[in-house]
Amino acid sequence: MKKYSAPITMFIIFETIAIVLWRTLDNLFYLCNFTYIGGFIALGLTLYIRRFKYARQIVQLGVGLYMLCYLGLMCRENMQIEGFWYYLFLGVFEAAVIHYVVAKIFCPLIFGRGWCGYACWTAMILDFLPYKEPDKPRLKIGFIRYILFGISLAFVAGLFLLKVKNVEEIMFISFIAGNALYYAVGIAMAFVLKDNRAFCKYVCPITVFLKPASYYSLLRVKVDKDKCISCGKCRRVCPMNVDMTDNSRKRLNGTECILCMKCIDECPVDALKL
Ligand code: SF4
Ligand code: SF4
Ligand code: SF4
């Protein structure tokens, strides 16, 4: 049973969030929503423990497709960053705001960038592309994310300041257009830079929320220096160019780890663990 303590703990955390939000906001949706997500994450961890190769992808598809298709397209909830600003300005504690507060601001304190490895519907597609291991050092163009972050804020603030009508409809169209653009740019960047996660590294504005909290993440990959033989394999296979052989919080690209476990799986002497 101890072997499965991680999936059980994860399910209990999500179920606690589900019950607290359900009872506090008197809305059954939150019970179903967080139970579904927690259930998928627990399933993925169980499959990972049982050494199933595609455990992470199953979680990513299960959670990502649910958010994109059900919440985004069917319920017309803009779960992109514009949706967060929109509901925040409206003063409505709706799904998009709760989603950002839980998944993008507080959860990274525990799970770091786990969102990016197990739930994001953009990366769910990017991870199927052929360039899983970047063969070049990172470019210094990460400033793009801050520009996009500012543009998304200015776009929604502009709609409110100009008192534009049919904002609800505009937000739905921007959700579809924004996602289409993200996929197009993400796929193009992956092929041009030969790096599936190039979009995540340089462009995605959501990382402006994710990175600061994930610096303090409870869950992080650590190396046992006594076991490590400095073969460098872990750094070569890391999709996010993290230096996980440095245990300090200031490790290179430390706030980029998506907890994909690739480095842990590939270490020949079992020197890495969470
Ligand atoms: S960086 Fe952005 S696009 Fe990439 S996985 Fe994270 S949230 Fe998704
Ligand atoms: S390979 Fe290791 S350090 Fe790199 S993102 Fe995956 S878990 Fe994090
Ligand atoms: S793969 Fe393992 S042994 Fe090789 S450098 Fe990384 S931690 Fe050390």
Side-chain angles (χ1 to χ4, degrees):
M1 200 65 181
K2 196 178 167 202
K3 193 176 167 191
Y4 296 104
S5 58
I8 292 169
T9 307
M10 201 60 85
F11 188 72
I12 291 171
I13 291 173
F14 274 86
E15 205 50 26
T16 307
I17 295 170
I19 293 169
V20 168
L21 287 173
W22 166 44
R23 302 305 298 167
T24 312
L25 301 171
D26 194 22
N27 189 339
L28 193 62
F29 163 78
Y30 295 108
L31 181 66
C32 303
N33 180 67
F34 285 99
T35 300
Y36 175 89
I37 295 170
F40 248 104
I41 292 175
L43 170 71
L45 285 172
T46 306
L47 292 174
Y48 178 75
I49 291 165
R50 297 178 74 86
R51 302 217 165 265
F52 183 64
K53 197 177 167 195
Y54 300 105
R56 186 177 71 83
Q57 280 80 0
I58 285 178
V59 182
Q60 208 172 16
L61 285 170
V63 179
L65 283 173
Y66 159 71
M67 291 198 169
L68 178 67
C69 300
Y70 178 69
L71 296 183
L73 299 177
M74 289 168 70
C75 299
R76 296 171 73 101
E77 184 93 28
N78 188 328
M79 307 289 281
Q80 296 281 88
I81 196 165
E82 310 84 60
F84 170 69
W85 300 128
Y86 172 60
Y87 290 110
L88 197 65
F89 291 166
L90 277 181
V92 181
F93 200 54
E94 279 288 344
V97 175
I98 291 173
H99 165 74
Y100 271 78
V101 170
V102 173
K104 312 285 175 55
I105 297 171
F106 286 117
C107 278
L109 291 171
I110 302 171
F111 313 120
R113 296 271 296 273
W115 163 265
C116 299
Y118 296 83
C120 174
W121 57 85
T122 309
M124 138 190 117
I125 301 296
L126 299 180
D127 278 353
F128 282 110
L129 300 177
Y131 307 106
K132 298 188 192 320
E133 295 168 12
D135 60 354
K136 291 195 187 73
R138 288 170 78 110
L139 304 173
K140 295 196 184 312
I141 54 171
F143 61 88
I144 297 172
R145 67 168 69 97
Y146 299 103
I147 297 174
L148 279 183
F149 185 87
I151 289 174
S152 73
L153 178 57
F155 169 65
V156 181
L159 293 176
F160 276 86
L161 289 172
L162 297 171
K163 296 188 173 44
V164 174
K165 289 196 173 66
N166 297 326
V167 179
E168 193 79 34
E169 195 59 28
I170 293 173
M171 293 314 294
F172 182 60
I173 293 167
S174 80
F175 176 74
I176 295 174
N179 272 297
L181 191 65
Y182 277 18
Y183 282 127
V185 173
I187 291 169
M189 287 182 78
F191 278 95
V192 171
L193 298 174
K194 300 199 179 340
D195 181 355
N196 285 357
R197 290 278 182 159
F199 180 84
C200 302
K201 291 173 188 172
Y202 311 124
V203 177
C204 178
I206 295 161
T207 54
V208 177
F209 288 126
L210 290 168
K211 282 165 81 67
S214 62
Y215 181 84
Y216 300 99
S217 173
L218 197 64
L219 269 186
R220 57 200 292 272
V221 179
K222 289 182 270 319
V223 65
D224 181 338
K225 297 266 187 199
D226 294 332
K227 283 188 181 173
C228 176
I229 53 170
S230 302
C231 68
K233 190 161 188 194
C234 49
R235 290 196 302 273
R236 275 199 300 280
V237 299
C238 177
M240 301 302 284
N241 310 97
V242 179
D243 181 6
M244 70 301 279
T245 58
D246 171 3
N247 277 334
S248 82
R249 293 264 168 204
K250 292 184 177 157
R251 62 170 54 154
L252 186 67
N253 301 317
T255 59
E256 297 284 275
C257 175
I258 58 169
L259 297 179
C260 67
M261 317 284 195
K262 186 96 173 139
C263 54
I264 296 176
D265 293 343
E266 297 285 335
C267 176
V269 293
D270 218 11
L272 296 166
K273 61 175 171 41
L274 275 184

